[in-house]
């Protein structure tokens, strides 16, 4: 008896070749999560480490509780954010990322697939192997697409850096650490005690 044919599984394209769009992304059947940054494919790091998850839960819980009942919503990975440049057509979007945490205050940017357009706040938590992607590649696309505030958290070093958009360019904060309280300029009056964020690390 002949076995039924398995559906063709699209092999992962090589990021060194070609330029891919969200339309291509939707056709891929992959076992691991990938992100598309300016048409190039980036594999997600292996499953996040324990400290990454502790920090992610601490920060997202604070945001969720603070925003409860407000129009802004907080989402955690896996959650697709499409960053259009030319148009919102799938064939024109070449950046699709999965931020660790993001806050979106415009309900019209949310659809059944995730977010289309720049979130108001994006928070990335560094993991071994993804530092360059978060700090360089994502920094550039977040700045270009108009993400108003971008937080980068280093869980093992217990530090946080805030980049705030001003006239199209990111301005960096000082480096914050345990014992300090940070405040968002985008999420009105939201404050975060880093001693609580990095507890149990």
């Amino acid at each position: 008896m002949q076995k039924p044919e398995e559906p063709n599984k699209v092999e992962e394209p090589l990021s060194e070749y070609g330029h891919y769009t969200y339309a291509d992304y939707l056709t891929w059947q992959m076992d691991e999560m990938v992100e598309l940054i300016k048409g190039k494919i980036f594999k997600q790091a292996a499953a996040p480490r324990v400290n990454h998850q502790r920090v992610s839960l601490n920060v997202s819980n604070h945001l969720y509780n603070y925003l409860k009942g407000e129009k802004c919503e907080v989402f955690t990975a896996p959650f697709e954010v499409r960053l259009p440049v030319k148009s919102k057509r799938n064939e024109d979007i070449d950046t699709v990322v999965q931020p660790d945490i993001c806050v979106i205050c415009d309900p019209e940017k949310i659809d059944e697939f995730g977010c289309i357009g720049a979130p108001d706040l994006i928070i990335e938590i560094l993991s071994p192997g993804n530092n360059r992607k978060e700090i360089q590649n994502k920094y550039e696309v977040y700045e270009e697409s108009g993400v108003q505030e971008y937080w980068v958290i280093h869980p093992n070093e217990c530090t946080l850096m805030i980049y705030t958009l001003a006239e199209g360019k990111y301005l960096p904060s000082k480096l914050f650490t345990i014992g300090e309280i940070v405040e968002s300029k985008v999420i009105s009056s939201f404050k975060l005690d880093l001693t609580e964020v990095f507890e149990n690390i």
Side-chain angles (χ1 to χ4, degrees), residues 15-16 35 37 42-43 45 124-142 150 152 154:
S15 59
E16 290 85 0
E35 293 179 300
I37 299 176
F42 291 82
K43 281 185 184 179
E124 296 284 10
I125 302 162
L126 300 181
S127 297
N130 78 348
N131 292 11
R132 182 176 172 227
K133 182 177 72 169
E134 310 299 358
I135 292 171
Q136 182 179 338
N137 301 98
K138 286 189 172 182
Y139 175 101
E140 291 174 3
V141 295
Y142 292 164
Y150 174 32
V152 178
H154 199 308

Side-chain angles (χ1 to χ4, degrees), residues 31-199:
D31 296 328
E32 54 195 335
M33 207 159 56
V34 298
E35 293 179 300
L36 198 59
I37 299 176
K38 294 185 175 179
K40 300 296 180 188
I41 297 154
F42 291 82
K43 281 185 184 179
Q44 289 286 68
R49 305 271 173 103
V50 169
N51 285 343
H52 178 289
Q53 294 299 79
R54 286 175 176 146
V55 168
S56 180
L57 282 169
N58 284 342
V59 175
S60 57
N61 282 343
H62 276 86
L63 278 164
Y64 175 80
N65 290 329
Y66 182 79
L67 295 172
K68 198 180 289 185
E70 302 293 329
K71 73 169 186 175
C72 297
E73 283 189 84
V74 60
F75 295 91
T76 59
F79 179 77
E80 290 181 1
V81 173
R82 289 155 282 153
L83 298 173
V85 176
K86 292 187 288 184
S87 83
K88 292 184 179 180
R89 292 173 66 246
N90 290 347
E91 295 79 6
D92 291 330
I93 296 171
D94 66 0
T95 295
V96 185
V97 292
Q98 307 239 14
D100 289 311
I101 303 168
C102 64
V103 175
I104 301 155
C105 296
D106 181 353
E108 293 192 4
K109 290 183 178 179
I110 300 169
D111 62 19
E112 61 178 315
F113 299 102
C115 174
I116 181 158
D120 297 79
L121 168 65
I122 283 181
I123 300 170
E124 296 284 10
I125 302 162
L126 300 181
S127 297
N130 78 348
N131 292 11
R132 182 176 172 227
K133 182 177 72 169
E134 310 299 358
I135 292 171
Q136 182 179 338
N137 301 98
K138 286 189 172 182
Y139 175 101
E140 291 174 3
V141 295
Y142 292 164
E143 184 180 65
E144 288 170 7
S145 62
V147 175
Q148 293 298 305
E149 206 166 86
Y150 174 32
W151 293 17
V152 178
I153 300 176
H154 199 308
N156 293 340
E157 294 183 7
C158 298
T159 60
L160 182 153
M161 177 79 81
I162 297 176
Y163 297 95
T164 306
L165 201 65
E167 298 180 4
K169 293 292 180 185
Y170 275 142
L171 298 178
S173 68
K174 67 169 221 160
L175 195 62
F176 296 99
T177 190
I178 292 172
E180 297 183 275
I181 294 174
V182 297
E183 186 170 358
S184 172
K185 292 183 179 176
V186 173
I187 311 302
S188 180
S189 301
F190 175 70
K191 295 180 181 179
L192 194 61
D193 185 337
L194 294 187
T195 300
E196 295 178 11
V197 169
F198 297 119
E199 67 182 350

